[in-house]
Amino acid sequence: MLWGIVLVPMLLLRLAAQDLLALNERRRLVPHLAARWVHFQRGESSDGERAAWAESLVSLARDLVAAERGNVEMIVECSPTVDSSEGAERVGQIDVVLVGRHPVEGNLSVQLVELKQWSSVTRVEAATAGLVYVPGIEDPVAHPALQLGEYHALFTGPTGPLSGLQFECGGFAYLHNATDDSVRALLGADAPTGPYARTYTRDTRARLLKDLQSHFAAGDDYSAAEYILHRMNLRNTPLLDAMVNSNGEDTVFTLRDRQKEVADDVLEASELILDSPDREALVPRPQRAVFLITGGAGTGKSAIGLQLRAVLEGAGRTVKYASGSRAFNAAIKENVGYTEAEFRERFTHFGAFVETPKPPLDVLICDEAHRLRDMSKNWRLPAERQGTEPQVDELLKASRLTVFFLDGAQTVRPDDVGTAQLIKDAAKRHGAVLRQYDLVEQYRCGGSDAYLRWVRALLGVSPQKAHEWVPDGLMHIEVVDTPDEMERIVRTEFDAGATARMVAGFCWPWSKPDKRKNLENDVRIEGWHRPWNADSTSFCANGEPPLKIWPVHDAGIGQIGCVYTAQGLEWDWCGVIMGDDMVWRTDRWVFQRGKLRKDRETGVKRVAKPGSVDPKVRVSTLDDDEFERCVRHAYHVLLTRASRATVVYSTDEETRKYLKKLVGETDIHGLRPTQGSIPPELRTVRPVGGSRGRRARRARNKARLKNEMVLF
């Protein structure tokens, strides 16, 4: 069964007025809005829509700057509610939501704005204030204040973006092409009233500027619009942080729309397919089921999986959560605070089912199923523990109900064989009922689908041609000239409290620590030398964390990660080094296999020929198409690890020029989402060091002790 597509609440752009004008001056405002309009399945934008963006939107931004309120943020074409109800669909989208701080009260200040290009209107009937005729429009239209009234009710109601916040909210219609006399029908004493019913024309522009000053403070210490983005589900708690905050007992995610539908369907099926957990079945049910859930990075696959694990385990089912990412497993174990026994009871990896459990598990949840192997092989294990059949068959035999989460764009090794077709064929072999779902709404990369589409087009992962990046206020990217500059930016945000890491393509050798646990500075770019994250199971000489906790331990900021240690995780900021394995030449990407040499005196390996030195990818037995696919997908993973900003450096000069051309200037004031620009209560609190797991474990033990005291 394939469900329909459900999208996140519509939002075309979020920028401060002064930044919107700068974007418009570069002729990039309207093309961006038009592309976003298509994305939200509204077809090609009309000439009227484009004119409204180019004229009315820009006029309002200029008035804000003229009122010395250029800091006020403009959210363009915004859904009035986070609930996809028929009422919200009927009302449509608010043209602009102005967001800032109240100059006196200091709390959130919001103005809902309807922009009209009307130059004149006439009343339908003398006794009717609600309907007017507009030249060029055949049927009568509602007074803008009536439309704003519906927006106001939805925006401030229980399912609106302002629900639960302390705010002042009003609204107005702005007819910048009209005079008071030409729209007198809108301004009579019998016109609609309310905090959202003001109407301004070019005659009353001076009053508009004064009113804007009375509603908004002249300067903000941080972005007030972040509150709205959180309430609109465009910002999300990173998965690992959600697990940590809940002490591992729940993901504390609010599953949304499509996510909730998928989770509910799996839970309902578990009741129909599985025997009751609290009593032995007289005749065990023989049926098996396979759930295949596909979706790109950040669509909530892991959130659904972890939520299912918690609910099913709480219902008494035998459940295991298997992941193809050892880094993700290690991060959960270290930071959530599971003991070794607690972790092994809940989590495992794909290769752990060579021997089928007796009896089979009720449920096996397989995250990152694109990392499935042909067979379960591990050179560390004896022959009798090596797989002899397809790994996917081992997983299906291990449980009655198997859930696979898969993203085909994240296969980064030649031996990654997980595909939707592989799982479908296996389900058919085992006579299992198959249900398939597709997740399309995503919450990674700041909720910016525009950024994800841009990255895919840049790398050639999607059929779309590479195009210029247009800032949307949700995600930020910039290209720098040196690795020093990249590290300075990332470290500045890290020191301010953000989560941050540096990652790179696999274009340098990866040395193990020496006998004294010192790390070799393998990543060498002219005079800038840094080590890879430690290939070690314990801390190294200068406090560098072991490989498995590099992504989450503060001391990991000084080392460089690769796709294998970054996959499945995310940070606020990510510095990405593109190496010589993927370089731009005139009009196309060129992919290069590198070579290493060993220094005769030191025995240390160095780069002899620039390019990929990943031992799993550069092998001569891998054909060129497969090599290119692995490299493209690796950079797709690396460029989508940040939730707020990506800083890119390429070792190749021509590639840097190409990237800079696509990314454009980044000096627009306020575009860089620094840690200081986020409201304090919405900032990610990064614990010091690697103590999150210990604190989580203590909190959970304390809760257990409290429950035991209640029992006695």
Side-chain angles (χ1 to χ4, degrees):
M1 182 172 70
L2 192 61
W3 292 88
I5 293 176
V6 181
L7 295 174
V8 294
M10 182 168 168
L11 183 152
L12 297 193
L13 185 71
R14 186 284 300 262
L15 283 180
Q18 57 204 12
D19 298 334
L20 187 145
L21 290 179
L23 195 62
N24 184 62
E25 289 172 4
R26 292 171 181 163
R27 300 182 184 278
R28 296 170 73 180
L29 174 64
V30 174
H32 168 75
L33 293 171
R36 292 278 285 173
W37 189 262
V38 171
H39 170 75
F40 282 101
Q41 301 182 340
R42 294 182 172 264
E44 293 295 330
S45 53
S46 65
D47 292 341
E49 283 290 345
R50 289 172 176 263
W53 295 331
E55 299 172 19
S56 302
L57 198 58
V58 170
S59 293
L60 178 60
R62 286 173 177 159
D63 289 339
L64 283 160
V65 171
E68 299 181 345
R69 297 299 184 268
N71 59 290
V72 172
E73 293 171 285
M74 303 174 67
I75 299 177
V76 181
E77 296 286 357
C78 170
S79 295
T81 174
V82 296
D83 181 24
S84 54
S85 65
E86 293 182 3
E89 190 67 28
R90 176 176 56 81
V91 173
Q93 316 300 322
I94 307 172
D95 287 345
V96 184
V97 179
L98 302 181
V99 189
R101 291 277 175 183
H102 193 276
V104 178
E105 303 298 331
N107 56 306
L108 193 64
S109 183
V110 177
Q111 291 291 310
L112 312 177
V113 184
E114 268 295 293
L115 297 172
K116 302 296 185 186
Q117 292 191 284
W118 305 343
S119 56
S120 64
V121 299
T122 56
R123 186 72 52 81
V124 175
E125 298 177 11
T128 305
L131 293 175
V132 293
Y133 279 124
V134 178
I137 301 177
E138 183 176 349
D139 297 322
V141 298
H143 192 294
L146 296 178
Q147 196 172 9
L148 282 166
E150 293 185 84
Y151 290 154
H152 188 273
L154 285 169
F155 208 78
T156 61
T159 61
L162 289 178
S163 178
L165 301 175
Q166 186 177 358
F167 63 88
E168 176 192 85
C169 182
F172 60 87
Y174 188 23
L175 289 73
H176 59 94
N177 289 329
T179 64
D180 281 357
D181 285 340
S182 67
V183 294
R184 188 63 62 185
L186 300 177
L187 307 175
D190 55 352
T193 59
Y196 44 78
R198 301 188 309 279
T199 300
Y200 300 98
T201 68
R202 69 168 181 249
D203 288 344
T204 51
R205 181 174 178 268
R207 180 159 59 87
L208 170 62
L209 301 190
K210 186 176 180 180
D211 287 347
L212 289 172
Q213 292 172 340
S214 70
H215 289 300
F216 299 107
D220 285 327
D221 295 330
Y222 44 79
S223 167
E226 283 292 330
Y227 293 107
I228 308 295
L229 299 184
H230 273 78
R231 290 294 298 123
M232 290 183 69
N233 302 333
L234 291 169
R235 298 291 195 210
N236 203 356
T237 306
L239 183 63
L240 186 60
D241 290 323
M243 288 287 289
V244 171
N245 294 338
S246 66
N247 299 324
E249 298 305 317
D250 197 344
T251 65
V252 299
F253 271 96
T254 301
L255 298 183
R256 299 156 181 159
D257 294 327
R258 180 76 168 144
Q259 297 172 349
K260 190 173 186 305
E261 289 178 0
V262 172
D264 287 347
D265 203 51
V266 174
L267 293 172
E268 289 174 10
S270 71
E271 294 299 317
L272 296 172
I273 293 171
L274 301 176
D275 302 306
S276 176
D278 57 359
R279 62 181 181 274
E280 187 175 352
L282 295 175
V283 180
R285 299 175 185 172
Q287 193 174 27
R288 291 176 180 266
V290 172
F291 289 83
L292 173 57
I293 302 160
T294 60
T299 51
K301 299 184 297 296
S302 296
I304 295 171
L306 288 166
Q307 192 75 14
L308 287 173
R309 185 202 64 78
V311 173
L312 290 165
E313 188 180 80
R317 303 294 185 188
T318 55
V319 187
K320 284 277 190 180
Y321 190 97
S323 174
S325 172
R326 293 182 184 272
F328 180 68
N329 277 356
I332 290 179
K333 180 180 177 182
E334 170 69 15
N335 289 273
V336 176
Y338 290 121
T339 64
E340 186 71 28
E342 287 173 333
F343 182 80
R344 289 184 180 277
E345 184 182 345
R346 292 171 170 84
F347 297 91
T348 188
H349 53 87
F350 293 157
F353 298 97
V354 172
E355 295 183 10
T356 303
K358 303 288 185 190
L361 298 167
D362 289 332
V363 182
L364 177 59
I365 299 169
C366 300
D367 202 357
E368 300 207 13
H370 42 272
R371 300 184 74 170
L372 285 170
R373 300 289 186 259
D374 184 24
M375 287 194 291
S376 298
K377 298 292 184 181
N378 188 333
W379 61 269
R380 298 183 182 89
L381 300 177
E384 63 270 17
R385 296 184 62 185
Q386 303 288 345
T388 58
E389 61 180 331
Q391 191 176 72
V392 67
D393 287 288
E394 294 174 354
L395 298 175
L396 263 65
K397 289 165 64 176
S399 66
R400 295 272 307 283
L401 194 154
T402 314
V403 185
F404 291 96
F405 294 97
L406 185 147
D407 177 6
Q410 291 199 54
T411 53
V412 296
R413 276 183 159 175
D415 53 359
D416 288 342
V417 300
T419 64
Q421 193 59 50
L422 178 89
I423 293 168
K424 290 177 184 178
D425 291 343
K428 186 176 181 179
R429 283 197 301 273
H430 288 264
V433 175
L434 175 72
R435 292 190 179 186
Q436 184 177 353
Y437 310 83
D438 186 32
L439 300 171
V440 293
E441 52 185 334
Q442 69 85 29
Y443 301 96
R444 187 167 284 168
C445 300
S448 175
D449 56 278
Y451 175 77
L452 287 177
R453 285 187 285 111
W454 182 85
V455 167
R456 291 172 185 142
L458 167 72
L459 300 175
V461 173
S462 72
Q464 187 179 16
K465 289 185 178 181
H467 53 276
E468 288 189 343
W469 164 247
V470 178
D472 62 357
L474 299 177
M475 186 63 188
H476 175 71
I477 183 169
E478 53 188 280
V479 181
V480 295
D481 290 315
T482 67
D484 287 285
E485 187 179 359
M486 179 205 69
E487 184 174 23
R488 178 186 59 77
I489 294 170
V490 170
R491 277 186 174 271
T492 297
E493 294 307 311
F494 178 82
D495 291 341
T499 57
R501 282 296 181 276
M502 296 180 289
V503 297
F506 206 146
C507 296
W508 294 269
W510 197 334
S511 304
K512 289 184 177 293
D514 63 20
K515 293 181 180 179
R516 295 184 177 181
K517 304 284 283 185
N518 290 301
L519 297 183
E520 178 65 33
N521 287 324
D522 286 317
V523 182
R524 307 174 76 85
I525 304 171
E526 297 180 349
W528 188 85
H529 304 160
R530 294 293 180 273
W532 288 108
N533 50 254
D535 187 0
S536 170
T537 58
S538 59
F539 282 86
C540 294
N542 296 308
E544 299 95 340
L547 181 149
K548 65 180 182 179
I549 63 170
W550 166 82
V552 292
H553 195 285
D554 278 5
I557 188 64
Q559 303 96 55
I560 311 301
C562 77
V563 64
Y564 304 121
T565 47
Q567 196 165 21
L569 298 165
E570 62 182 311
W571 306 280
D572 296 330
W573 284 72
C574 189
V576 179
I577 300 173
M578 294 187 70
D580 288 314
D581 53 349
M582 185 173 179
V583 295
W584 184 259
R585 293 292 178 263
T586 309
D587 60 354
R588 63 190 177 93
W589 287 110
V590 174
F591 298 86
Q592 303 180 136
R593 305 177 201 240
K595 291 183 179 180
L596 298 176
R597 62 174 176 81
K598 183 178 287 189
D599 188 283
R600 292 182 178 179
E601 296 182 3
T602 64
V604 175
K605 291 183 178 179
R606 293 285 182 250
V607 174
K609 177 184 176 183
S612 174
V613 296
D614 184 340
K616 297 289 185 180
V617 171
R618 68 183 174 94
V619 292
S620 58
T621 55
L622 195 66
D623 65 44
D624 289 344
D625 288 344
E626 186 68 4
F627 172 73
E628 291 181 11
R629 183 188 66 82
C630 290
V631 174
R632 289 182 199 269
H633 284 198
Y635 281 117
H636 177 258
V637 170
L638 297 181
L639 287 167
T640 55
R641 293 308 93 191
S643 61
R644 290 191 175 274
T646 301
V647 184
V648 182
Y649 167 77
S650 172
T651 54
D652 178 73
E653 184 177 2
E654 185 175 345
T655 305
R656 285 199 304 275
K657 289 180 179 178
Y658 174 65
L659 292 172
K660 282 197 166 188
K661 178 183 177 182
L662 291 183
V663 171
E665 299 294 331
T666 56
D667 60 350
I668 300 176
H669 173 76
L671 279 186
R672 183 184 282 175
T674 61
Q675 187 74 351
S677 70
I678 304 169
E681 59 269 40
L682 296 181
R683 294 173 191 168
T684 301
V685 179
R686 194 188 77 244
V688 178
S691 59
R692 291 202 278 191
R694 293 191 295 275
R695 280 202 293 272
R697 189 155 52 242
R698 286 198 298 268
R700 196 160 56 249
N701 290 338
K702 184 177 179 181
R704 289 197 186 105
L705 179 61
K706 182 178 179 181
N707 289 336
E708 289 170 4
M709 292 175 66
V710 171
L711 289 173
F712 292 98

